[in-house]
Every structure is written in C-alpha cells, then in structure tokens.
Amino acid sequence: MPDRLKMSLSLGSVVLASSSRTRLDMLRAAGLNVEAVPSGLNEAAMIAGMSGGGDGPSPADVATVLAEAKAQTVSEMRAGSIVIGADQTLELDGELFTKPDSVEQARRNLLKLRGKSHFLHSAVTLVRDGETLWSLTDSAMMTMRDFTPEFVGHYSAAEGETMLDSVGCYRLEGPGVQLFDKIDGDWFTILGLPLLPLLARLRELGVLET
C-alpha cells in the first residue's frame, strides 16, 4: 500500500541537487519520485568570492545564490529534468554562519549563539534545462537558551560529527531541541527546505497531482 500511494502522488520525477539525507528523506516521505545528484560545487569558495572586496550579499541572499548555483550545475547533467536546488545559511546579528569544519568549531559556534536569537534562511530553486522556473527563500527565528559551557561539552560529545551536518550544529529532531527556549518559523524551513510552497509549485508544473 505505501508504494502504491507514493506512485499515485508522483506523476513525474525530479532531481535533488544535494547530498543532504534530510532533504532527500523529506521529499520521498512527501511522495515524490526523486533522485539525489550532488552538485559538487565548492560552496566555501563561492561564499568567499561573494564576500570579497567589500560588502557582500546578505546571509539570506547567499542561501538563494547557492541554491540556484547547485540547481543550475546539476541541470547541465540532467537534460529535461526538473532540478531542485536548496541551501541554508544561519545569520546572527548580520554575521553569516555556514556548516562548521570541525567539532571544535561547532562548539565555538554554539557558545556564540547561546542566549541569543538567530535566523535560519532556507532557499529553494527549481531549474529545468538551465531555466530558473521558481525560487523562494524563507526564514525562521531560533532563540537559544543561555546554557552552560559544560552542557555544550556534553552535547557535543553525544552528537559528535553529526553537528557538522547543519549550519546551526543542531538537530531539532534530536538532542538539539534542548538548546532552545523558543522557535518561530516553519518546521520544514528549519530542517532546510520550505516544503509546502515547493510542493505547491511542483503541482503547478504537473509533477504532483492537483
């Protein structure tokens, strides 16, 4: 029954320009027939290029640019396919945060974020044969509690390199929820993909049933 239901909901297939297991699982759970094809882009180099030589784009704009770049790159490999590009950045008082390079960097980031509110900016873009069909960036405000450095130590020991998989170094679906006092925003946006508006657009494109 689950397989038949999934096939009945997806009239066509799409390509996800990402290696994100969370995004892939989200799309498949929603009933999409989706293939994951990582773009291979050097995101760190792209961000450095955007910010070099003066004031660069806002953290939200960085997410938008990276999402489209991923989709455009994979679109060149998948002619005729609708490609989903997605990216997420974190903003604290105007400062851009991306995925940490190490567990130690993740610990330092959490200590900077504690007791403050930050924004998660999640961007999604649809591209087919090099043409951008649709793009959206949504944001959520996340307020962390003023936890102790000792808690960060215990948390990082429990989560380990899992913290390197997200810009905020946390999984709200796991122990990361203990870092927060308040959350304002869409759940799917927090996970890294504004899913409901994406599904609406895919219905308009005939990928999903109306």
Side-chain angles (χ1 to χ4, degrees), residues 46-144:
M46 287 189 66
I47 292 171
M50 282 186 266
S51 59
D55 293 335
S58 69
D61 288 342
V62 169
T64 303
V65 170
L66 290 176
E68 179 159 4
K70 292 175 184 178
Q72 289 285 357
T73 299
V74 173
S75 180
E76 295 176 1
M77 314 175 200
R78 292 291 189 274
S81 296
I82 293 177
V83 179
I84 302 171
D87 196 78
Q88 184 181 68
T89 57
L90 185 153
E91 178 181 2
L92 175 67
D93 298 330
E95 180 182 355
L96 171 68
F97 286 66
T98 54
K99 290 180 182 178
D101 295 326
S102 65
V103 172
E104 179 55 37
Q105 179 64 58
R107 281 196 290 263
R108 291 197 297 269
N109 286 358
L110 288 174
L111 290 173
K112 290 181 70 173
L113 296 171
R114 66 173 175 161
K116 301 175 183 177
S117 294
H118 65 265
F119 290 92
L120 291 177
H121 304 296
S122 293
V124 59
T125 300
L126 294 177
V127 172
R128 180 169 52 200
D129 293 329
E131 178 188 359
T132 299
L133 305 175
W134 176 78
S135 182
L136 174 77
T137 300
D138 191 38
S139 301
M141 186 170 72
M142 319 288 289
T143 302
M144 282 192 171

Side-chain angles (χ1 to χ4, degrees), residues 19-38:
S19 59
S20 168
R21 172 53 60 179
T22 298
R23 293 189 182 104
L24 182 61
D25 288 347
M26 205 185 310
L27 292 168
R28 286 179 172 167
L32 271 79
N33 180 11
V34 57
E35 173 192 9
V37 179

